[in-house]
Each structure stands twice: as structure tokens, then as C-alpha cells.
Amino acid sequence: MYPHSMLDFIAIVDETREKRKAGVMDRLAPGQVDELLRRYHPDYREAAFRNLRVGANRGDRTTHEIADLLEAFSDLDHSKIDLTPEYDTDVLVLGGGGAGVTAALFAQSMGARVILATKLRLGNSNTIMALGGMQASVHGSDSPVRHFADTMVAGKFAGKKELVKTMVEDGPRIVKWLLDLGVDFDRDGEGNLATKKAGGLSAPRIISIGDYTGLNIMKVLKDEIRQVDGIDVFEFSPAVELTTNEFGECNGAVLYDLGRKRHFVVRARAVVLATGGSGRLHMQGFPTSNNFGATGDAIVLAYRTGARLEGIDSFQYHPTGIMFPEHMVGVLVTEAVRSLGAHLVNAKGERFINELETRDACAAAIIRECERGNGVQTPSGTIGIWLDTPLLEETQGSGFLKSRFPSLYRHFMRVQINISKRPLLIYPTLHYQNGGILIDEKGETSVKNLFTAGEAAGGIHGRNRAMGNSLLDIFVFGRRAGLAAAKRKYNDPGNVTLNHVHRYYDKLKSLRISTTAKSPTLFPEFIVNKL
């Protein structure tokens, strides 16, 4: 329920709705977008970044939060760790979200023995938080070529062309695989896959399952992995270090059993890193939509082995993260709400950006309005602008929001806010790590036998990710990493060592880099304090 101090601002939204419906909001020219981003997007705040002083990406720019992790020592006392493998397998998958489960399933399908270890429960990941849908060129009026062009434009042409090409060409294959597993995507009146548009797309290409797409896909994948033989799942067992052999090739990991509070080693012929992104580091103090486990573990562990990173100075801030009520900060309103016609409205009742601009442009425009004093303040002092959801009830018909976005509708009815009658207060929210560990088309990193898939991987999305490409990405490169890793099952993994870690620490000491930070973090500080 909104407090009285905010009701006057809501009245302005209601009073200006008819005038806004009659108006037209032009799209920004490329030069205008560049200027908007340069002045207001968080990626352009120079004080929030610094250059790395050590490792394969020495001299590259990243946020202080990421740099602190990469230039830190571990809590692990390496001199006291017994590196005798407790388990031996063909493929070790680290991460239990969509990318990790997909990699495990495809590796097993090739006859590989697989261990999947995950920090939390299987499926407890950012995948289940993916609301709006997945991109794939499944209709005759669309094509992978158009999908490629849209993705490259959204990413400011910084994405690796070969990776983008791989993703968009594999899209229809992945959709068929998911359908064969039993994923029930929404259909139109004729029984075809229903598609919708989103910001920056030249064609309706988003397929979805209501407004809880990722959750429903993950349910199917969890059922599938529990039914197959040859995959052992270790829950509550995060990786705290990768291991390498005498040639510097990845050959396993040191895991930590959270329940029994002990370390153990898994040796493998190949490792797939799929532990997700870093949103829980709360870059620049922004709220985040991310799962509690998203603390950048993958880039820390891979970087110590010598793996190159890509695009680690670029993060996505989803334009429509909830700012009121306070306990729902971090909850996202899917982009589909804007694509169907809901307006972004400032405190004066003005529409200030075309809602189909790319996510980075919309986020920057919202920040601009708030910095200009055109935001709405909550009783606790936070600032946001309005997303005019009642407009959809007027244009699409009564009951539309409840039927089309049932999860969102129920969330807010629990706090006595009817989104068909009241707008939502929103502000950009840290959502996605655009960069990560550089991979090739097979998902392999610059370190032999180390593969990466999902949000941990870099080089695909460039400097901005288009809606729906994250779900596609995790399945495309999860599949490819799993298949390629399985082919290493005949390798001799060699001796298990932490030589790469000792060399990395020696470099930190030689540069006199000292810090109180420990990495990987594993859990946000406010969670650790409760453990």
C-alpha cells in the first residue's frame, strides 16, 4: 500500500495518462544514445573503476569491486590442504543453474561420467529469476541474421562476432531441445509459439512462459537431470579453488562442503565453470536482482589459472527494478511490460524516453531524470520514477495484467498494491555481468580443459545484453561446453596441484599488493555474518 506522501504523485500519473496516450515518443538517434550513456550510465563513471595490476588482463579497466576480488588472497590455507582426490570423474561441472545443468546433461549424453557441484541447491540460481523470456528466431518472418544484427547493435558492436553467430544459429535447435524435454512455451491462437517484441529487437522474437520463463524451464531441467544415470550432484559444495596439472591444464577443483565444513578435491579430465555472475557485489552501491550466490566466483578462480577475461568493465542495469515497497527492492518488472506499452513517467507526469530503446539507454534516461530532480522520493529517501502499468489495462483490456503477468500481479497484491490501478515505482537495478571469462565457440577458455558457460562467460553480449539473450546463451554454450568437455574423457588429467595459485600469490606479493578482501567471496557479507 502506498503512503499518503506518494499518492499526490500517483494522481499526476493518472491525470496525464490521456495526454501521453495521444502523444508520440520518437526513438533516439545513435549520437543521442551515445551522449546519454556517456553522461549517465554507471559504466561511464570513471571514479568507480581502476586498472588491474596483475594477471592476464593487467592494465584492463574494471570496477573496484571486481578488482578487489582479483587482487585478493583466499581464505584457504593452501599449505594445509590435502590434494589427494576424493573423487575422480570425466567432467566436473561447477554451478547448478541453467548453464551447468545443460552442460552436465550433454556431457553425460556423450558417455562421460559427470559430477555437478553447486553452491546452493540444484536450480537455485539466476536462471529461475529470468522472467520475460528467451530470444530465438523461430518464425518464418525472422532469421538468425536479423537476430545477429540486433544483438551486435545492442552490444555496441563489442560482442565477438563468432560467438554471437554461434548463439543465434543454435537458437532454433535449443528451442526444439527444450520442447522435446517438455518445456511448455506459450502458444498463439493457432498453436504456434507465441512471440513478442522487446527493446532493440527488429522482430517479435521473445518466447516465454507467462512471466516466469526461467523458473519453468529450470523445473524441467531439474527433473531431467534427476532421471539420468551417470551424473552425481553435490549440493552446498561451492568451489573455492581450481586445480591444475604440471602443464598448467585445468584438472579439477577444491570444493567446500558447507554442511560438514570440510574441503575435498575432485579430479577431472575437464571442468565446466557455470557459477554465474557477480551482481551480489552490488557494484557502485546499486540494488541487485541477483541470486545470493552471484558473487563473481568464476572469474576469480579462472583468473588465477591464467584465463583471460573479456568485457569486465561492463554491467547491465535493468531499467525497471522495484524501489517501493522497500522489502521488494531488487525485484524486476519484466521488459515485456514496457514492450506492450507501459510508459516510463517522471514526477511531473512526463514520458521522457521511448520504452523500446535498449536497456542501457532506458536505464541511463531514468538516472538522468532522478538526477535532474524529476524523481519521486519514498518515505525512506530512495528515489525512482513511475512505470505506468494501469495504462495497459486501458489499452489491452480489463484483467490483462492479471492474466498476462500473474506472478507480478500476485507479488503486489500481497502488499495491497493493485498494478492494474496503481503505477510501480522503479529505478535501474544491477542485473547482469556483460563480460566474464573469454571463451571460444566450444566454450573453452584460454586455459586448456577449462570451459565456461552462462553469465560467467565473456565475449558474447558486448557492452549491453538484449532481453532474452541470457536464457538462450546459457543453453547454447552450456550444450557446447558439455559436448566439448566430454571429448576430453580420455585425457590423462595428471597430478593435482595448486601451482598456479602459488605463482599468482607470489606476483601479488612482488607488487606489494595487500588487501583485507578475501576471494572467492562465496556469499554476500550480510549472509556470511548470519552463518
Side-chain angles (χ1 to χ4, degrees), residues 348-365:
K348 299 177 180 179
E350 300 167 335
R351 187 182 176 199
F352 52 87
I353 187 81
N354 187 305
E355 291 77 15
L356 289 181
E357 296 288 354
T358 54
R359 284 180 171 180
D360 54 351
C362 286

Side-chain angles (χ1 to χ4, degrees), residues 200-261:
L201 303 193
S202 62
R205 191 180 300 125
I206 302 293
I207 59 175
S208 59
I209 310 168
D211 58 345
Y212 34 81
T213 306
L215 176 63
N216 277 282
I217 294 176
M218 201 68 236
K219 287 179 180 177
V220 174
L221 292 179
K222 284 175 64 178
D223 287 344
E224 186 69 15
I225 201 170
R226 296 294 193 190
Q227 293 175 24
V228 300
D229 294 325
I231 301 177
D232 293 321
V233 176
F234 299 165
E235 295 182 316
F236 302 111
S237 299
V240 296
E241 210 72 83
L242 295 176
T243 62
T244 54
N245 61 22
E246 52 269 41
F247 304 107
E249 301 166 344
C250 188
N251 66 350
V254 180
L255 306 182
Y256 184 66
D257 184 329
L258 289 169
R260 291 185 283 179
K261 300 187 184 304

Side-chain angles (χ1 to χ4, degrees), residues 24-75:
V24 175
M25 177 62 66
D26 293 332
R27 297 290 295 270
L28 298 175
Q32 292 175 304
V33 172
D34 291 343
E35 177 65 11
L36 178 64
L37 296 177
R38 186 184 64 79
R39 294 187 63 183
Y40 295 102
H41 194 278
D43 280 357
Y44 293 80
R45 294 175 178 171
E46 288 303 323
F49 295 80
R50 73 173 188 259
N51 294 335
L52 289 172
R53 295 173 286 177
V54 67
N57 288 75
R58 182 180 178 183
D60 287 358
R61 173 181 181 267
T62 191
T63 63
H64 293 301
E65 294 85 355
I66 295 291
D68 286 345
L69 287 185
L70 296 181
E71 296 178 352
F73 294 86
S74 172
D75 268 332

